[in-house]
Protein backbone atom coordinates (compact mmCIF):
# COMPACT_ATOMS: atom_id res chain seq x y z
CA UNK A 1 0.00 0.00 0.00
CA UNK A 2 3.01 2.30 0.42
CA UNK A 3 3.29 2.68 -3.34
CA UNK A 4 -0.09 4.40 -3.41
CA UNK A 5 1.14 7.30 -1.30
CA UNK A 6 3.77 9.85 -2.19
CA UNK A 7 5.00 12.82 -0.21
CA UNK A 8 4.09 16.22 -1.62
CA UNK A 9 6.94 17.99 -3.39
CA UNK A 10 6.87 21.54 -2.05
CA UNK A 11 9.60 23.68 -3.58
CA UNK A 12 9.99 27.42 -3.07
CA UNK A 13 10.86 29.26 -6.26
CA UNK A 14 12.55 32.29 -4.81
CA UNK A 15 12.54 34.20 -8.09
CA UNK A 16 9.24 35.52 -9.39
CA UNK A 17 7.12 33.70 -11.95
CA UNK A 18 7.92 34.79 -15.50
CA UNK A 19 11.26 36.31 -14.45
CA UNK A 20 12.91 33.07 -13.41
CA UNK A 21 16.41 34.30 -14.26
CA UNK A 22 16.27 37.14 -11.72
CA UNK A 23 18.37 36.81 -8.56
CA UNK A 24 18.52 38.90 -5.40
CA UNK A 25 20.88 41.88 -5.36
CA UNK A 26 24.02 41.48 -3.28
CA UNK A 27 23.28 41.52 0.46
CA UNK A 28 19.49 41.30 0.06
CA UNK A 29 17.60 38.54 1.88
CA UNK A 30 14.31 36.84 1.14
CA UNK A 31 12.19 34.77 3.51
CA UNK A 32 9.26 32.65 2.51
CA UNK A 33 6.49 30.81 4.33
CA UNK A 34 3.96 28.49 2.70
CA UNK A 35 0.93 26.72 4.15
CA UNK A 36 -0.55 23.88 2.11
CA UNK A 37 -3.77 21.98 2.68
CA UNK A 38 -4.65 19.09 0.41
CA UNK A 39 -7.99 17.65 -0.50
CA UNK A 40 -8.75 14.22 0.92
CA UNK A 41 -6.86 11.74 -1.25
CA UNK A 42 -9.19 8.86 -2.13
CA UNK A 43 -7.88 7.69 -5.51
CA UNK A 44 -4.74 7.44 -7.58
CA UNK A 45 -3.68 7.10 -11.20
CA UNK A 46 -2.56 3.48 -11.55
CA UNK A 47 -0.01 1.84 -13.84
CA UNK A 48 -2.50 1.99 -16.71
CA UNK A 49 -2.95 5.76 -16.12
CA UNK A 50 -6.59 5.30 -15.19
CA UNK A 51 -8.13 6.37 -11.92
CA UNK A 52 -8.57 3.74 -9.20
CA UNK A 53 -9.36 3.73 -5.49
CA UNK A 54 -6.45 4.46 -3.20
CA UNK A 55 -6.65 1.31 -1.09
CA UNK A 56 -5.30 -1.98 -2.37
CA UNK A 57 -7.44 -4.99 -3.33
CA UNK A 58 -6.39 -8.63 -3.11
CA UNK A 59 -7.86 -12.12 -3.35
CA UNK A 60 -6.81 -15.35 -1.71
CA UNK A 61 -7.48 -18.21 -4.08
CA UNK A 62 -5.81 -21.54 -4.76
CA UNK A 63 -2.85 -19.96 -6.57
CA UNK A 64 -2.26 -17.39 -3.83
CA UNK A 65 -2.64 -19.98 -1.08
CA UNK A 66 -0.24 -22.43 -2.71
CA UNK A 67 2.41 -19.75 -3.14
CA UNK A 68 2.26 -19.36 0.65
CA UNK A 69 1.52 -22.93 1.78
CA UNK A 70 3.53 -24.74 -0.93
CA UNK A 71 0.67 -26.88 -2.34
CA UNK A 72 -0.22 -28.30 1.06
CA UNK A 73 -3.91 -27.33 1.12
CA UNK A 74 -4.92 -27.27 -2.56
CA UNK A 75 -2.54 -29.45 -4.62
CA UNK A 76 -3.25 -27.93 -8.05
CA UNK A 77 -1.50 -30.57 -10.12
CA UNK A 78 -3.50 -33.42 -8.55
CA UNK A 79 -7.12 -32.22 -8.38
CA UNK A 80 -9.88 -31.30 -10.80
CA UNK A 81 -8.96 -28.15 -12.78
CA UNK A 82 -12.45 -26.64 -12.46
CA UNK A 83 -12.36 -27.04 -8.68
CA UNK A 84 -8.91 -25.50 -8.48
CA UNK A 85 -10.09 -22.51 -10.49
CA UNK A 86 -13.29 -22.17 -8.43
CA UNK A 87 -11.60 -22.28 -5.02
CA UNK A 88 -11.66 -18.93 -3.20
CA UNK A 89 -11.06 -18.04 0.42
CA UNK A 90 -12.16 -14.45 -0.15
CA UNK A 91 -11.59 -11.12 -1.84
CA UNK A 92 -10.65 -8.13 0.29
CA UNK A 93 -10.24 -4.40 -0.08
CA UNK A 94 -8.32 -1.95 2.04
CA UNK A 95 -10.33 1.29 2.01
CA UNK A 96 -7.93 4.17 2.47
CA UNK A 97 -7.82 7.95 2.34
CA UNK A 98 -5.12 10.45 3.22
CA UNK A 99 -4.89 14.17 3.92
CA UNK A 100 -1.94 16.51 4.42
CA UNK A 101 -1.23 19.87 5.94
CA UNK A 102 2.24 21.17 5.19
CA UNK A 103 4.13 24.24 6.33
CA UNK A 104 7.16 25.23 4.29
CA UNK A 105 9.98 27.62 5.19
CA UNK A 106 12.51 29.10 2.77
CA UNK A 107 15.42 31.55 2.95
CA UNK A 108 17.62 33.14 0.27
CA UNK A 109 20.58 35.53 0.32
CA UNK A 110 22.28 37.46 -2.49
CA UNK A 111 26.00 36.63 -2.42
CA UNK A 112 26.61 38.87 -5.44
CA UNK A 113 24.32 40.60 -7.92
CA UNK A 114 24.40 37.41 -10.00
CA UNK A 115 24.60 34.60 -7.42
CA UNK A 116 22.32 33.80 -4.50
CA UNK A 117 22.13 30.90 -2.05
CA UNK A 118 18.88 29.44 -0.73
CA UNK A 119 17.55 26.68 1.51
CA UNK A 120 14.05 25.34 2.15
CA UNK A 121 12.36 22.69 4.28
CA UNK A 122 8.77 21.61 4.94
CA UNK A 123 7.02 20.32 8.06
CA UNK A 124 4.32 17.70 7.39
CA UNK A 125 1.18 16.68 9.20
CA UNK A 126 -0.40 13.61 7.60
CA UNK A 127 -3.44 11.55 8.47
CA UNK A 128 -4.40 8.20 6.93
CA UNK A 129 -7.65 6.35 7.49
CA UNK A 130 -7.63 2.67 6.50
CA UNK A 131 -9.76 -0.41 7.17
CA UNK A 132 -10.22 -3.89 5.68
CA UNK A 133 -13.46 -4.97 3.99
CA UNK A 134 -14.31 -8.36 2.51
CA UNK A 135 -15.89 -8.01 -0.94
CA UNK A 136 -16.38 -11.73 -1.78
CA UNK A 137 -16.92 -14.68 0.55
CA UNK A 138 -15.45 -18.16 0.30
CA UNK A 139 -16.45 -20.81 -2.24
CA UNK A 140 -15.76 -23.83 -0.01
CA UNK A 141 -19.16 -25.45 -0.57
CA UNK A 142 -19.23 -25.18 -4.38
CA UNK A 143 -15.59 -26.25 -4.72
CA UNK A 144 -16.20 -29.28 -2.47
CA UNK A 145 -19.28 -30.23 -4.51
CA UNK A 146 -17.22 -30.18 -7.73
CA UNK A 147 -14.61 -32.47 -6.19
CA UNK A 148 -17.02 -34.87 -4.47
CA UNK A 149 -19.26 -35.08 -7.54
CA UNK A 150 -16.41 -36.08 -9.83
CA UNK A 151 -15.12 -39.52 -10.86
CA UNK A 152 -14.57 -40.76 -7.33
CA UNK A 153 -10.84 -40.15 -7.38
CA UNK A 154 -9.43 -40.57 -3.85
CA UNK A 155 -7.41 -37.33 -4.01
CA UNK A 156 -10.42 -35.30 -5.12
CA UNK A 157 -12.59 -36.81 -2.39
CA UNK A 158 -10.00 -36.19 0.32
CA UNK A 159 -9.34 -32.61 -0.74
CA UNK A 160 -13.09 -31.99 -1.10
CA UNK A 161 -13.71 -33.09 2.49
CA UNK A 162 -10.82 -30.94 3.72
CA UNK A 163 -12.03 -27.84 1.88
CA UNK A 164 -15.57 -28.27 3.24
CA UNK A 165 -14.18 -28.03 6.78
CA UNK A 166 -11.84 -25.07 6.26
CA UNK A 167 -12.46 -22.13 8.63
CA UNK A 168 -13.99 -18.96 7.22
CA UNK A 169 -11.55 -16.10 6.82
CA UNK A 170 -13.25 -12.77 7.58
CA UNK A 171 -11.77 -9.30 8.11
CA UNK A 172 -10.77 -10.09 11.70
CA UNK A 173 -8.82 -13.16 10.60
CA UNK A 174 -6.98 -11.14 7.93
CA UNK A 175 -6.11 -8.48 10.48
CA UNK A 176 -4.89 -11.16 12.88
CA UNK A 177 -2.74 -12.75 10.16
CA UNK A 178 -1.22 -9.39 9.25
CA UNK A 179 -0.24 -8.70 12.86
CA UNK A 180 0.46 -12.17 14.29
CA UNK A 181 1.84 -14.07 11.29
CA UNK A 182 3.50 -11.32 9.27
CA UNK A 183 4.43 -9.07 12.19
CA UNK A 184 2.94 -5.80 10.92
CA UNK A 185 1.16 -3.32 13.13
CA UNK A 186 -2.64 -3.38 12.70
CA UNK A 187 -4.19 -1.67 9.68
CA UNK A 188 -6.18 1.33 10.87
CA UNK A 189 -5.98 5.07 11.29
CA UNK A 190 -2.48 6.54 11.30
CA UNK A 191 -1.15 10.00 12.05
CA UNK A 192 2.36 11.29 11.48
CA UNK A 193 4.20 14.60 11.71
CA UNK A 194 7.74 15.67 10.99
CA UNK A 195 10.17 17.48 8.73
CA UNK A 196 10.69 16.56 5.11
CA UNK A 197 13.98 16.53 3.20
CA UNK A 198 15.83 19.85 3.04
CA UNK A 199 16.78 21.42 -0.30
CA UNK A 200 19.63 23.87 -0.74
CA UNK A 201 21.41 25.33 -3.74
CA UNK A 202 22.93 28.24 -5.63
CA UNK A 203 21.06 30.34 -8.20
CA UNK A 204 23.41 31.79 -10.81
CA UNK A 205 22.23 34.38 -13.34
CA UNK A 206 24.01 33.54 -16.59
CA UNK A 207 22.24 35.96 -18.94
CA UNK A 208 20.18 39.08 -18.31
CA UNK A 209 19.11 41.00 -21.41
CA UNK A 210 16.38 42.97 -19.68
CA UNK A 211 13.47 41.31 -21.47
CA UNK A 212 14.84 37.77 -21.26
CA UNK A 213 17.48 35.87 -19.36
CA UNK A 214 18.87 32.51 -18.28
CA UNK A 215 19.60 31.11 -14.85
CA UNK A 216 21.40 27.93 -13.82
CA UNK A 217 21.21 26.52 -10.36
CA UNK A 218 22.72 23.35 -8.97
CA UNK A 219 21.75 22.02 -5.58
CA UNK A 220 21.28 19.09 -3.26
CA UNK A 221 18.46 17.50 -1.28
CA UNK A 222 19.50 16.37 2.20
CA UNK A 223 17.85 13.31 3.84
CA UNK A 224 16.35 15.08 6.85
CA UNK A 225 12.82 13.69 6.43
CA UNK A 226 11.08 10.81 8.16
CA UNK A 227 11.23 7.51 6.25
CA UNK A 228 8.67 4.71 5.82
CA UNK A 229 8.41 2.18 8.63
CA UNK A 230 8.49 -1.32 7.06
CA UNK A 231 6.27 -2.59 9.89
CA UNK A 232 3.39 -0.16 9.17
CA UNK A 233 1.55 -0.72 5.91
CA UNK A 234 -0.38 2.55 5.91
CA UNK A 235 2.26 5.05 6.98
CA UNK A 236 3.74 7.79 4.79
CA UNK A 237 7.38 8.80 4.59
CA UNK A 238 8.25 12.49 4.39
CA UNK A 239 11.67 11.78 2.90
CA UNK A 240 13.43 9.14 0.80
CA UNK A 241 16.43 8.62 3.06
CA UNK A 242 19.20 9.42 0.57
CA UNK A 243 21.03 12.40 -0.92
CA UNK A 244 19.87 13.90 -4.22
CA UNK A 245 21.82 16.14 -6.59
CA UNK A 246 20.01 18.32 -9.12
CA UNK A 247 20.62 20.87 -11.86
CA UNK A 248 18.00 23.29 -13.10
CA UNK A 249 17.77 25.78 -15.94
CA UNK A 250 15.29 28.65 -15.86
CA UNK A 251 14.45 31.21 -18.51
CA UNK A 252 11.70 33.65 -19.38
CA UNK A 253 10.63 36.48 -21.61
CA UNK A 254 8.95 39.78 -20.75
CA UNK A 255 6.52 40.89 -23.47
CA UNK A 256 5.51 44.11 -21.72
CA UNK A 257 4.52 45.37 -18.27
CA UNK A 258 1.42 43.18 -18.29
CA UNK A 259 2.56 39.87 -19.83
CA UNK A 260 5.57 37.59 -19.42
CA UNK A 261 6.45 33.93 -19.77
CA UNK A 262 8.75 31.56 -17.90
CA UNK A 263 9.89 27.96 -17.89
CA UNK A 264 12.19 25.74 -15.80
CA UNK A 265 13.69 22.29 -16.38
CA UNK A 266 15.24 20.24 -13.59
CA UNK A 267 17.05 16.89 -13.58
CA UNK A 268 17.51 15.15 -10.21
CA UNK A 269 19.95 12.32 -9.58
CA UNK A 270 18.97 10.18 -6.58
CA UNK A 271 21.90 8.45 -4.91
CA UNK A 272 21.59 4.87 -3.70
CA UNK A 273 21.14 3.97 -0.04
CA UNK A 274 20.88 0.91 2.21
CA UNK A 275 17.46 0.07 3.65
CA UNK A 276 15.90 -2.72 5.65
CA UNK A 277 12.75 -3.81 3.81
CA UNK A 278 10.27 -6.64 3.79
CA UNK A 279 11.23 -9.46 1.39
CA UNK A 280 8.24 -10.14 -0.89
CA UNK A 281 7.69 -13.68 -2.20
CA UNK A 282 5.52 -12.58 -5.11
CA UNK A 283 5.13 -9.58 -7.40
CA UNK A 284 1.40 -9.44 -6.66
CA UNK A 285 1.50 -10.28 -2.94
CA UNK A 286 3.80 -7.95 -1.03
CA UNK A 287 3.12 -9.13 2.54
CA UNK A 288 6.10 -10.90 4.05
CA UNK A 289 7.25 -12.01 7.48
CA UNK A 290 10.92 -11.65 6.52
CA UNK A 291 13.18 -8.59 6.36
CA UNK A 292 16.44 -8.04 4.57
CA UNK A 293 19.00 -5.40 3.61
CA UNK A 294 18.60 -3.85 0.16
CA UNK A 295 20.62 -1.34 -1.80
CA UNK A 296 17.93 1.01 -3.14
CA UNK A 297 18.45 3.36 -6.10
CA UNK A 298 15.29 5.39 -6.57
CA UNK A 299 14.69 6.52 -10.13
CA UNK A 300 16.06 9.87 -11.29
CA UNK A 301 13.52 12.67 -11.78
CA UNK A 302 12.70 15.14 -14.54
CA UNK A 303 10.56 18.20 -13.67
CA UNK A 304 9.40 20.69 -16.29
CA UNK A 305 7.28 23.78 -15.66
CA UNK A 306 5.91 26.47 -17.97
CA UNK A 307 3.86 29.52 -16.98
CA UNK A 308 2.59 32.88 -18.15
CA UNK A 309 1.90 35.86 -15.90
CA UNK A 310 -0.82 38.38 -16.65
CA UNK A 311 -0.52 41.57 -14.58
CA UNK A 312 -3.74 43.43 -13.90
CA UNK A 313 -1.76 46.30 -12.39
CA UNK A 314 1.39 46.76 -10.30
CA UNK A 315 -0.25 45.05 -7.34
CA UNK A 316 -2.27 42.16 -8.79
CA UNK A 317 -1.38 39.40 -11.26
CA UNK A 318 -2.55 35.95 -12.34
CA UNK A 319 -0.29 33.06 -13.35
CA UNK A 320 -1.50 29.81 -14.93
CA UNK A 321 1.11 27.04 -14.59
CA UNK A 322 1.58 23.59 -16.12
CA UNK A 323 3.95 21.04 -14.59
CA UNK A 324 5.18 17.69 -15.85
CA UNK A 325 6.97 15.37 -13.43
CA UNK A 326 8.53 12.01 -14.30
CA UNK A 327 10.44 9.55 -12.11
CA UNK A 328 12.34 6.68 -13.72
CA UNK A 329 12.01 3.09 -12.41
CA UNK A 330 13.79 2.29 -9.16
CA UNK A 331 16.41 -0.43 -8.76
CA UNK A 332 16.80 -2.83 -5.82
CA UNK A 333 19.91 -4.93 -5.27
CA UNK A 334 20.33 -7.64 -2.64
CA UNK A 335 21.00 -11.33 -2.21
CA UNK A 336 17.26 -11.90 -2.79
CA UNK A 337 17.19 -11.70 -6.58
CA UNK A 338 13.48 -12.47 -6.95
CA UNK A 339 12.59 -9.87 -4.35
CA UNK A 340 14.71 -7.31 -6.21
CA UNK A 341 12.60 -7.91 -9.30
CA UNK A 342 9.31 -7.74 -7.40
CA UNK A 343 10.21 -4.49 -5.62
CA UNK A 344 11.44 -2.83 -8.84
CA UNK A 345 8.32 -3.71 -10.80
CA UNK A 346 6.06 -0.78 -11.76
CA UNK A 347 8.00 1.87 -9.84
CA UNK A 348 8.14 4.60 -12.49
CA UNK A 349 5.89 7.61 -11.92
CA UNK A 350 4.45 10.37 -14.08
CA UNK A 351 2.31 13.36 -13.13
CA UNK A 352 0.60 16.25 -14.91
CA UNK A 353 -0.40 19.24 -12.76
CA UNK A 354 -2.18 22.49 -13.47
CA UNK A 355 -2.02 25.50 -11.20
CA UNK A 356 -3.52 28.96 -10.98
CA UNK A 357 -1.69 31.54 -8.88
CA UNK A 358 -3.14 34.83 -7.76
CA UNK A 359 -0.42 37.23 -6.60
CA UNK A 360 -0.66 40.39 -4.54
CA UNK A 361 2.75 42.05 -4.63
CA UNK A 362 4.30 45.30 -3.48
CA UNK A 363 7.57 44.65 -5.36
CA UNK A 364 6.79 46.87 -8.35
CA UNK A 365 5.39 49.69 -6.16
CA UNK A 366 8.54 49.38 -4.00
CA UNK A 367 10.80 49.65 -7.06
CA UNK A 368 8.83 52.74 -8.13
CA UNK A 369 9.25 54.13 -4.58
CA UNK A 370 5.50 54.04 -3.94
CA UNK A 371 5.65 51.50 -1.07
CA UNK A 372 8.03 50.93 1.81
CA UNK A 373 8.28 47.10 1.92
CA UNK A 374 8.87 44.65 -0.95
CA UNK A 375 6.64 41.64 -0.22
CA UNK A 376 4.42 39.18 -2.04
CA UNK A 377 1.43 36.97 -1.23
CA UNK A 378 0.64 34.05 -3.55
CA UNK A 379 -2.54 32.01 -3.44
CA UNK A 380 -2.19 28.78 -5.44
CA UNK A 381 -4.78 26.25 -6.55
CA UNK A 382 -3.05 23.06 -7.73
CA UNK A 383 -4.63 19.91 -9.17
CA UNK A 384 -3.19 16.64 -10.48
CA UNK A 385 -5.10 15.97 -13.72
CA UNK A 386 -3.37 12.84 -15.05
CA UNK A 387 -0.50 10.52 -14.27
CA UNK A 388 0.83 7.07 -13.49
CA UNK A 389 1.36 5.61 -10.00
CA UNK A 390 0.61 8.94 -8.29
CA UNK A 391 -2.27 10.11 -6.08
CA UNK A 392 -5.03 12.23 -7.54
CA UNK A 393 -4.87 15.23 -5.25
CA UNK A 394 -5.76 18.90 -5.19
CA UNK A 395 -4.25 21.44 -2.84
CA UNK A 396 -4.59 25.05 -1.79
CA UNK A 397 -1.47 26.99 -0.93
CA UNK A 398 -0.98 30.41 0.56
CA UNK A 399 2.52 31.80 0.48
CA UNK A 400 4.20 34.90 1.90
CA UNK A 401 7.57 36.23 0.68
CA UNK A 402 9.42 39.22 2.14
CA UNK A 403 12.69 40.82 1.05
CA UNK A 404 14.88 42.88 3.33
Amino acid sequence: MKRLFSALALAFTVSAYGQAWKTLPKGVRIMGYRNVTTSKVKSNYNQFRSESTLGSQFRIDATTLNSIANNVIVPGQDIDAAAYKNFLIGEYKVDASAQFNVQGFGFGYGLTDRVMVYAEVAYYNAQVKANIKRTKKNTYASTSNILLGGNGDLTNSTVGDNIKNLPDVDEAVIQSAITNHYGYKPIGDWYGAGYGDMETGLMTKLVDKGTWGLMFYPGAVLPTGRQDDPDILQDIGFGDGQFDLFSELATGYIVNDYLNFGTTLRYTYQASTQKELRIPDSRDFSLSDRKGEFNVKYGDKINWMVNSTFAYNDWLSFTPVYRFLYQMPSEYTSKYSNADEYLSYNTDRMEHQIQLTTTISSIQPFLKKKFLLPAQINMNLVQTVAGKNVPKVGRFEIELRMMF
Side-chain angles (χ1 to χ4, degrees):
M1 191 163 71
K2 294 178 185 293
R3 290 186 180 183
L4 301 176
F5 299 106
S6 65
L8 297 177
L10 302 172
F12 281 93
T13 304
V14 180
S15 55
Y17 288 119
Q19 299 181 37
W21 71 93
K22 298 288 187 180
T23 58
L24 294 172
K26 181 179 179 180
V28 174
R29 304 168 182 84
I30 186 172
M31 292 185 66
Y33 168 78
R34 178 181 295 180
N35 187 281
V36 181
T37 301
T38 72
S39 60
K40 187 171 289 187
V41 185
K42 295 182 178 180
S43 63
N44 75 310
Y45 293 102
N46 58 32
Q47 61 178 311
F48 306 108
R49 305 182 188 181
S50 59
E51 190 176 345
S52 60
T53 56
L54 189 61
S56 59
Q57 301 183 49
F58 60 96
R59 61 184 278 129
I60 304 178
D61 54 17
T63 302
T64 307
L65 193 62
N66 284 339
S67 68
I68 302 171
N70 196 27
N71 286 336
V72 172
I73 299 175
V74 189
Q77 71 274 21
D78 296 327
I79 69 168
D80 184 271
Y84 186 87
K85 184 178 180 180
N86 184 75
F87 179 79
L88 178 69
I89 288 180
E91 286 189 0
Y92 309 87
K93 177 182 179 182
V94 179
D95 276 343
S97 64
Q99 194 162 18
F100 300 84
N101 179 264
V102 189
Q103 299 181 72
F105 307 89
F107 176 80
Y109 178 75
L111 298 175
T112 72
D113 287 340
R114 304 183 71 89
V115 180
M116 62 176 286
V117 62
Y118 77 95
E120 61 194 34
V121 68
Y123 188 85
Y124 291 79
N125 285 276
Q127 185 176 27
V128 177
K129 293 184 178 294
N131 63 86
I132 303 172
K133 293 183 178 180
R134 182 161 64 166
T135 57
K136 281 189 180 180
K137 295 185 177 182
N138 69 68
T139 60
Y140 298 163
S142 59
T143 303
S144 180
N145 289 337
I146 294 172
L147 292 168
L148 296 176
N151 56 16
D153 180 88
L154 181 59
T155 299
N156 283 344
S157 298
T158 302
V159 174
D161 287 333
N162 290 338
I163 287 176
K164 186 189 301 183
N165 297 315
L166 285 175
D168 187 35
V169 179
D170 59 11
E171 296 91 337
V173 176
I174 293 294
Q175 183 77 277
S176 177
I178 288 173
T179 56
N180 296 326
H181 176 71
Y182 291 105
Y184 294 95
K185 295 180 181 178
I187 290 180
D189 294 350
W190 176 89
Y191 172 80
Y195 286 99
D197 290 345
M198 175 180 288
E199 178 179 314
T200 184
L202 291 172
M203 292 182 171
T204 304
K205 182 167 55 179
L206 300 179
V207 178
D208 188 352
K209 297 296 184 180
T211 58
W212 74 276
L214 180 67
M215 180 194 287
F216 169 71
Y217 53 104
V221 179
L222 312 180
T224 56
R226 176 192 177 277
Q227 299 181 55
D228 283 336
D229 186 336
D231 296 332
I232 305 176
L233 291 169
Q234 69 273 24
D235 81 329
I236 301 172
F238 305 143
D240 288 340
Q242 85 292 322
F243 288 90
D244 296 345
L245 299 174
F246 66 85
S247 294
E248 183 166 331
L249 284 173
T251 187
Y253 180 74
I254 300 174
V255 178
N256 52 44
D257 289 343
Y258 302 99
L259 176 64
N260 55 61
F261 299 92
T263 185
T264 63
L265 178 65
R266 172 184 290 202
Y267 185 90
T268 302
Y269 169 79
Q270 301 204 88
S272 61
T273 186
Q274 289 292 124
K275 289 194 173 189
E276 183 183 55
L277 303 173
R278 296 278 177 158
I279 306 170
D281 295 316
S282 167
R283 192 181 74 179
D284 302 315
F285 191 79
S286 59
L287 297 183
S288 173
D289 60 352
R290 299 183 298 145
K291 296 180 186 178
E293 291 293 325
F294 291 80
N295 182 272
V296 182
K297 168 65 175 71
Y298 291 119
D300 293 350
K301 299 178 182 179
I302 297 173
N303 292 11
W304 177 60
M305 180 275 292
V306 62
N307 68 70
S308 58
T309 298
F310 304 89
Y312 180 76
N313 53 37
D314 286 347
W315 290 87
L316 181 65
S317 63
F318 303 94
T319 304
V321 182
Y322 166 76
R323 289 193 188 90
F324 173 77
L325 304 93
Y326 177 71
Q327 181 174 336
M328 302 172 190
S330 300
E331 299 176 1
Y332 293 79
T333 307
S334 70
K335 62 182 180 181
Y336 316 103
S337 57
N338 288 336
D340 295 339
E341 178 186 345
Y342 302 148
L343 290 170
S344 301
Y345 172 72
N346 192 35
T347 52
D348 59 319
R349 295 181 178 184
M350 181 179 64
E351 186 170 3
H352 300 271
Q353 294 180 355
I354 57 173
Q355 174 178 323
L356 177 62
T357 296
T358 301
T359 299
I360 301 172
S361 173
S362 65
I363 294 176
Q364 287 301 322
F366 173 80
L367 294 175
K368 294 179 180 180
K369 299 182 179 180
K370 295 181 180 179
F371 198 78
L372 295 176
L373 178 68
Q376 188 178 81
I377 296 175
N378 293 325
M379 291 168 284
N380 309 321
L381 289 173
V382 187
Q383 179 65 52
T384 300
V385 294
K388 177 183 179 183
N389 294 330
V390 293
K392 181 180 180 181
V393 60
R395 64 181 190 256
F396 174 72
E397 309 173 351
I398 186 164
E399 178 184 333
L400 172 65
R401 300 174 184 175
M402 298 181 62
M403 286 179 279
F404 55 98

